[in-house]
Amino acid sequence: MIIKFLSLLIFASGLLSAAAPNIVFVITDDQGYGDLGYTGNPIIKTPEIDKLASESTGLSDYHVGPTCSPTRCSLLTGHWTNRTGVWHTIMGRSMLREDEVTIAQMFKDGGYETSMFGKWHLGDNFPYRPEDRGFTEVYRHGGGGIGQTPDVWDNAYFDGSYFHNGKIVPAKGFCTDVFFEQANAFITKCAQEKKPFFAYISLNAPHGPLHCPQKYLDMYQDQSDSIAAFYGMITNIDDNVGKTRELVKSLGIGEDTIFIFTTDNGTASGAKVFNAGMKGKKGSAYDGGHRVPFFIHWPAGGLTKEHDVDTLTHMVDIVPTMLELTGVEKPKEVKFDGVSIVELLKPDNKNVEWPDRFVISDSQRVRDPVKWRGSAVMSEKYRLIEGKELYDIDADPGQKKNIAKELPEMVETMRSFYDKWWAELEPSFSRTTEIYLGHPDHPVVTLTAHDWIQEVYPPWHQGSIRSNAWQKRPNGGKLKHVGFWAVKVVEDGKYRISLRRWPAESGAAINAALPAGKNVEGVTRAFRTVKGEAIGARTATLRIDGKDLETKPVKGQAEEVSFEKELKAGSYQLAPYFTINDGELGAYYTIVTRLD
């Protein structure tokens, strides 16, 4: 794939594409449509993003997934979330299938420098890491948020440590500031070297825990503590958006840079103050769960005027749109679920004839997809919720009056579309995303409880790991470890499998108790402030494919118990555990190393 290096490329839409424009793509976490001054919020302070919006084409009927990982996978691939294997945020269902081609890979193959900063949340092991999926510069936290189980141990929103191209490095300052600083350094380097770039600034804020610098909390002293922190985090993002825009201009690349701002799902905390008249919030099938802001600014392409596109658009449209804007070629084997919306973007194109279509947003958040669960089938005029409730979104934007009985033919038409959509995707649901073991690009693999495949929620953050109180005793009986990691041994060989209660970087013994860590600025407590409970493990057992292969004692101050096994290439269910007084406790962290 190559960039179509023409001095000036004129699209049928009339948009002008300079050769190889740069892209700065900012996406925030848990910020909804109503969490901006531009969209009518009377409280929040977002002058920089408001200014960007006033100089951009905006999509005011743009829809994503109701939660983070599903949105991010679609944004990067142009595919329905369930097609990619990502329909949850944990339990091995947040890993982007290895055969999916990301926009980063397309840009990289087209001659771009590619980077991501902040939140990935599409897999922490090979072949699912961002560096495996087309990003050449990576600076991120682990899992879906700072302090979650796959993240660096004891991380918090201030003065944390992050994965920089696979290596843990310390940082100073608030996480959002750090991610923008790293992005700005990358942008500066590319500008100085005159290389086109794709900078994916994917933030964990304003997702909880609710932490931010005190000066931003002070801006909202008349609000509740949670709103003060939530809005403070957004205002901090706003400041950074302004700084990055100024940097792009000062580097002399403003004309040739596409700057995008959007969010990954409906508001998590802001609906109680302002929700732009919508029903629902994060996780909801109603519009408040998945209608979010999207602004695109590009001087060389004529996108500098305030222009509202109220046509129904969807996250699966973004990749084909970006390829058309930049002239980067689509891989021949890739077929998108979305369409390019370039025709809609030009400010002077106010009477574009756009065919009505159906699109879908759904929130599964279970181990295996359930038909109709958390679903919204959408057209320009209607919303069908979970196959039962129908709303005229033009006449009833708050989705208060269910008109399914009045319009049974429309319900049937939308149900028929969903049925065909489901029938197409359902055969792929059994394709489990397996973590590779023994691959030369990742010879030492750290598995965490975040990715246990099981029916109940695993301990997905370090507070649960510390407390060890997440499991429910079955009717007072003994605990049974029912989760497993789906792994793929890529080559026959000897492997060392090391079971740990605490991660390697903690340096803690399996049976150690850990003191509570320090809190940071904000209104909720960091995960590390939970006391680390001792588990009293007596033995460690290696269980593979439901069979207990070997058991060893847990001795003294041992940090891990290791087993060495000859494994044939193939797929396995790996479920090592410790025996404690209450029964079986899965090894929260397990390190697998290829030995030969």
Side-chain angles (χ1 to χ4, degrees):
M1 291 178 285
I2 58 172
I3 304 171
K4 300 168 185 175
F5 280 102
L6 302 178
S7 59
L8 200 63
L9 180 63
I10 304 179
F11 290 104
S13 65
L15 283 176
L16 303 181
S17 173
N22 310 303
I23 306 99
V24 177
F25 195 114
V26 180
I27 180 170
T28 69
D29 194 356
D30 281 2
Q31 179 181 2
Y33 186 88
D35 296 326
L36 290 170
Y38 181 82
T39 56
N41 190 306
I43 304 298
I44 201 165
K45 299 175 176 64
T46 53
E48 296 297 338
I49 299 172
D50 296 347
K51 184 175 186 292
L52 171 67
S54 71
E55 301 169 350
S56 300
T57 291
L59 308 178
S60 59
D61 195 13
Y62 168 70
H63 296 263
V64 295
T67 55
C68 41
S69 294
T71 292
R72 290 161 197 258
C73 74
S74 283
L75 274 177
L76 293 172
T77 64
H79 285 161
W80 304 117
T81 59
N82 297 346
R83 188 188 300 282
T84 72
V86 180
W87 54 77
H88 204 339
T89 57
I90 52 175
M91 297 197 300
R93 306 315 198 198
S94 61
M95 297 187 288
L96 181 65
R97 286 201 179 107
E98 64 268 34
D99 57 355
E100 289 286 337
V101 183
T102 71
I103 191 172
Q105 188 64 55
M106 297 176 205
F107 278 131
K108 179 182 177 182
D109 291 345
Y112 275 74
E113 299 295 307
T114 58
S115 63
M116 73 81 48
F117 306 93
K119 174 171 177 167
W120 175 241
H121 205 184
L122 295 173
D124 294 282
N125 286 299
F126 185 89
Y128 309 108
R129 304 167 300 174
E131 54 264 43
D132 306 320
R133 311 311 291 267
F135 290 99
T136 54
E137 173 69 12
V138 176
Y139 192 99
R140 67 178 181 94
H141 60 73
I146 292 173
Q148 291 193 10
T149 306
D151 197 22
V152 178
W153 182 246
D154 272 354
N155 235 7
Y157 280 44
F158 289 84
D159 300 338
S161 293
Y162 304 103
F163 297 100
H164 184 205
N165 297 329
K167 296 181 179 179
I168 297 174
V169 296
K172 288 291 185 182
F174 182 57
C175 56
T176 301
D177 296 333
V178 170
F179 296 145
F180 270 100
E181 287 166 4
Q182 291 291 324
N184 291 343
F186 169 80
I187 291 168
T188 299
K189 182 175 183 291
C190 291
Q192 291 172 343
E193 295 176 354
K194 300 187 185 306
K195 295 180 179 179
F197 63 82
F198 172 53
Y200 177 55
I201 307 174
S202 177
L203 306 173
N204 61 295
H207 192 293
L210 298 176
H211 299 290
C212 70
Q214 188 63 44
K215 74 173 185 177
Y216 293 102
L217 289 170
D218 292 343
M219 293 180 180
Y220 299 100
Q221 292 181 357
D222 56 344
Q223 301 298 312
S224 68
D225 287 348
S226 62
I227 287 296
F230 184 70
Y231 282 0
M233 295 166 86
I234 293 172
T235 299
N236 169 263
I237 292 169
D238 186 79
D239 281 351
N240 277 290
V241 167
K243 291 175 183 176
T244 298
R245 290 194 73 201
E246 283 302 314
L247 173 68
V248 168
K249 292 177 183 176
S250 69
L251 291 170
I253 58 174
E255 283 290 312
D256 297 326
T257 298
I258 298 170
F259 198 108
I260 293 171
F261 175 87
T262 188
T263 75
D264 69 352
N265 47 245
T267 186
S269 300
K272 64 190 77 172
V273 175
F274 180 78
N275 203 27
M278 296 183 295
K279 181 178 183 178
K281 59 179 183 178
K282 175 183 178 178
S284 172
Y286 299 103
D287 268 27
H290 46 81
R291 179 184 168 219
V292 300
F294 187 101
F295 306 115
I296 177 169
H297 174 84
W298 182 27
L303 305 182
T304 58
K305 299 177 182 178
E306 184 176 29
H307 172 51
D308 175 52
V309 176
D310 60 4
T311 303
L312 178 69
T313 52
H314 194 275
M315 57 189 173
V316 295
D317 300 331
I318 302 309
V319 173
T321 300
M322 296 306 298
L323 295 187
E324 184 171 350
L325 289 177
T326 59
V328 171
E329 293 185 349
K330 177 182 74 67
K332 292 180 180 179
E333 71 275 14
V334 173
K335 181 180 179 181
F336 295 126
D337 291 319
V339 298
S340 172
I341 58 170
V342 165
E343 287 282 349
L344 298 172
L345 298 181
K346 194 174 189 302
D348 296 335
N349 272 6
K350 296 183 179 180
N351 296 309
V352 178
E353 291 187 9
W354 196 256
D356 196 8
R357 59 172 174 156
F358 295 125
V359 294
I360 294 173
S361 176
D362 75 340
S363 180
Q364 291 291 333
R365 306 198 88 175
V366 288
R367 169 177 162 163
D368 299 305
V370 177
K371 191 173 183 181
W372 294 109
R373 179 180 172 87
S375 64
V377 182
M378 295 173 279
S379 70
E380 290 287 345
K381 186 174 177 61
Y382 296 107
R383 305 287 191 265
L384 179 68
I385 307 300
E386 296 190 335
K388 300 175 182 178
E389 303 171 20
L390 183 69
Y391 298 93
D392 182 334
I393 206 67
D394 293 334
D396 179 24
Q399 294 175 280
K400 298 177 181 179
K401 184 181 179 182
N402 178 8
I403 58 172
K405 291 183 179 179
E406 287 90 327
L407 295 173
E409 292 183 358
M410 179 54 64
V411 171
E412 184 55 35
T413 297
M414 298 179 85
R415 284 182 62 91
S416 177
F417 175 82
Y418 182 95
D419 283 339
K420 293 176 182 177
W421 174 83
W422 183 267
E424 179 187 346
L425 299 183
E426 187 177 22
S428 70
F429 298 162
S430 61
R431 289 182 55 211
T432 296
T433 44
E434 298 173 318
I435 298 170
Y436 285 28
L437 303 181
H439 195 280
D441 288 344
H442 199 198
V444 180
V445 175
T446 298
L447 305 169
T448 77
H450 177 281
D451 295 324
W452 281 345
I453 298 176
Q454 56 186 42
E455 295 295 337
V456 299
Y457 272 36
W460 54 270
H461 63 77
Q462 293 175 18
S464 290
I465 296 293
R466 282 174 159 271
S467 71
N468 193 42
W470 63 277
Q471 297 189 87
K472 293 182 179 179
R473 275 63 177 169
N475 298 320
K478 293 290 187 178
L479 293 174
K480 177 76 172 177
H481 179 45
V482 296
F484 63 89
W485 289 295
V487 299
K488 179 179 181 179
V489 174
V490 298
E491 191 173 12
D492 295 358
K494 180 180 284 189
Y495 291 81
R496 182 172 61 240
I497 303 170
S498 303
L499 285 58
R500 305 186 65 96
R501 186 267 189 266
W502 305 108
E505 64 265 28
S506 72
I510 291 170
N511 283 324
L514 300 185
K518 293 182 179 180
N519 201 17
V520 295
E521 293 176 58
V523 301
T524 56
R525 300 194 67 78
F527 293 129
R528 70 187 185 196
T529 63
V530 177
K531 181 183 176 182
E533 299 292 339
I535 61 172
R538 300 192 299 270
T539 61
T541 299
L542 178 62
R543 176 181 289 162
I544 298 179
D545 290 341
K547 297 180 181 180
D548 292 352
L549 303 182
E550 187 176 357
T551 297
K552 292 183 178 181
V554 176
K555 298 179 180 179
Q557 297 301 307
E559 295 182 18
E560 63 184 29
V561 175
S562 296
F563 302 86
E564 293 186 4
K565 291 293 177 183
E566 293 283 347
L567 296 175
K568 294 290 186 180
S571 300
Y572 297 89
Q573 293 183 359
L574 180 61
Y577 66 89
F578 295 109
T579 298
I580 62 175
N581 287 337
D582 289 331
E584 298 176 358
L585 177 68
Y588 292 145
Y589 299 88
T590 294
I591 300 174
V592 183
T593 306
R594 172 74 185 273
L595 296 179
D596 57 8

